[in-house]
Amino acid sequence: ASQEVIAENKWLAGLVGGFAAAGVALVASASVGLWNKACKDADTKVLAGFCCVVLLYFSAELIAPADRDGRHFMWIFPALIIAGGCFTFFYRGPLEEAAANAAAAAQEDSSIEHFGVGRITGVILLALVAIIFVTSFVLSSVLDYEGNEYLHWFSAFWRTGTVIWGGGQVVLPLLENEVVATGWIESSVFFAGLALAQAMPGPLFNFAAFLGAAAGYRAMSSVGAGIGAAAVCWLGLFGPGVILIFG
């Protein structure tokens, strides 16, 4: 529902507000659960705290302002991942031989060697993901949003699906930056959709279909456009991960 429709119906405004509050609570709960599960050591807590401070600064100063395009600062996420890996390596040192042997044994016991494709096909699939990533990013950077909405939607979700690593909640900040900061949908609609997606069966990545439908309907005021945008965004977010599994 757009802001105009929400403003005209008080009951709908209350419903969306409740969903938005539930969405914020879900994100907070997931953050606390991830902190307790992943940050058990002192150095891990320091790394996590440092990354939170850096991302909060980047969000407030470089991503959230309306006069800035937050997509130009997406490099901060892989940069923090690489920096964290380097810090852990130099602080803890290489893995001990026993731990390395245990990891190798666990990998051998997984009994999964490939997913039915050969090495050449795997390389082609990896190259395909990279080519689509670069091509869609370049085209969306040089072409205006108006008249090329589907390209921009697909590029944003493919880019997010390519760089993300982790569970469903990890993707939320990237999606919010892509669809809310750019003005494609309102923040209240984003969090309301998040609450609805959490209440439905299936992975949280299905949230992409809701975001695509909301962005498509808002841009073109057409149900058909909303359905088409939902399919494009869903494919963009799921596509890289599915292809990379086989690659």
Side-chain angles (χ1 to χ4, degrees):
S2 65
Q3 288 292 91
E4 293 78 9
V5 176
I6 294 174
E8 294 174 358
N9 300 272
K10 293 183 177 179
W11 66 271
L12 184 57
L15 182 63
V16 172
F19 279 135
V24 173
L26 289 170
V27 173
S29 176
S31 301
V32 173
L34 182 62
W35 173 273
N36 293 331
K37 181 178 180 180
C39 303
K40 298 180 179 179
D41 302 320
D43 57 337
T44 308
K45 293 179 179 179
V46 171
L47 274 177
F50 172 78
C51 291
C52 287
V53 172
V54 172
L55 291 177
L56 284 173
Y57 170 78
F58 267 75
S59 298
E61 299 295 331
L62 301 177
I63 295 178
D67 60 339
R68 297 181 181 272
D69 189 349
R71 293 172 294 178
H72 293 163
F73 302 97
M74 294 289 287
W75 56 267
I76 186 61
F77 294 98
L80 286 175
I81 294 175
I82 295 173
C86 293
F87 174 85
T88 303
F89 177 81
F90 288 108
Y91 181 80
R92 297 186 180 181
L95 287 175
E96 297 181 0
E97 184 176 355
N101 293 336
Q107 184 176 2
E108 293 178 358
D109 292 341
S110 65
S111 68
I112 298 178
E113 297 180 359
H114 58 83
F115 286 91
V117 299
R119 183 173 298 177
I120 296 178
T121 304
V123 172
I124 294 175
L125 292 176
L126 293 177
L128 177 64
V129 172
I131 291 172
I132 296 177
F133 177 89
V134 174
T135 303
S136 61
F137 178 78
V138 172
L139 291 177
S140 62
S141 299
V142 300
L143 297 177
D144 294 334
Y145 175 69
E146 295 185 5
N148 301 283
E149 291 88 353
Y150 286 100
L151 170 63
H152 282 259
W153 296 332
F154 177 80
S155 175
F157 282 81
W158 187 274
R159 181 167 58 248
T160 302
T162 302
V163 303
I164 197 63
W165 183 269
Q169 282 75 17
V170 180
V171 78
L172 294 178
L174 298 179
L175 291 179
E176 184 182 14
N177 177 61
E178 293 288 357
V179 301
V180 176
T182 53
W184 295 350
I185 66 172
E186 299 88 357
S187 178
S188 60
V189 175
F190 179 89
F191 286 106
L194 172 60
L196 287 172
Q198 287 280 41
M200 299 295 177
L204 183 57
F205 273 29
N206 286 327
F207 184 35
F210 173 89
L211 296 177
Y217 185 81
R218 182 180 184 184
M220 303 179 183
S221 301
S222 168
V223 175
I227 296 175
V232 167
C233 294
W234 185 88
L235 178 64
L237 193 62
F238 272 92
V242 173
I243 295 177
L244 290 174
I245 287 176
F246 292 94

